[in-house]
Amino acid sequence: MSSEEELRAVYPLMRLLRDRITPETFAAEVRAQQAQGYELIAGFDAGAPLVLAGIRRAHTLSRGAHLFVDDLVTAEPSRGRGHGRAMLAHLASLARAEGLPRVYLDARLTAKRFYEQLGFTFLTSVPCWIEADRL
């Protein structure tokens, strides 16, 4: 998904997950990530986006080859109906087809139960950040 029209259609979903993104910056930020292999995948019903995932293929020393899910969000009225689960199953299928043995993501505490029910293993690392000019 990369056309301006497609990005406009899925922006409201991404906004639910990434509140710092604005309509004015969304397409440019997606394009910058796409240059590094990022891909947006959406599930639709009657032309309306219900679930959205942002993924990238990666290989790191700590994790080896894997599919990383940067973003996963379901439209609020459609939550609890299996759309997130179906999207993750689709992403796992993509990973398998590409020879990637694992799917990784960073989970919010509010979504931990959902991922546990799917069988995700939780690691001990905790993502953190600092403004670069503070160090």
Side-chain angles (χ1 to χ4, degrees), residues 13-130:
L13 267 182
M14 186 63 78
R15 176 75 178 156
L16 295 173
L17 187 64
R18 308 286 180 225
D19 60 4
R20 70 168 202 80
I21 304 292
T22 68
E24 296 77 28
T25 64
F26 181 56
E29 291 200 45
V30 168
R31 301 240 185 278
Q33 285 185 244
Q34 285 174 332
Q36 299 174 17
Y38 178 81
E39 182 180 348
L40 275 174
I41 301 172
F44 292 83
D45 182 37
L50 295 179
V51 61
L52 180 65
I55 62 168
R56 57 191 158 97
R57 285 93 177 147
H59 189 121
T60 62
L61 293 177
S62 62
R63 298 176 178 177
H66 62 280
L67 183 77
F68 194 86
V69 181
D70 284 294
D71 314 292
L72 178 65
V73 62
T74 301
E76 289 178 352
S78 300
R79 290 182 182 165
R81 297 183 184 166
H83 301 296
R85 176 184 297 266
M87 177 61 82
L88 284 168
H90 175 68
L91 298 178
S93 176
L94 286 177
R96 286 190 304 274
E98 295 179 21
L100 301 173
R102 291 189 175 164
V103 175
Y104 280 88
L105 54 77
D106 293 331
R108 292 180 178 188
L109 286 177
T110 55
K112 188 175 185 232
R113 185 169 177 254
F114 170 72
Y115 294 117
E116 284 174 332
Q117 289 174 338
L118 292 176
F120 275 78
T121 298
F122 284 82
L123 305 173
T124 58
S125 64
V126 177
C128 57
W129 64 274
I130 189 170

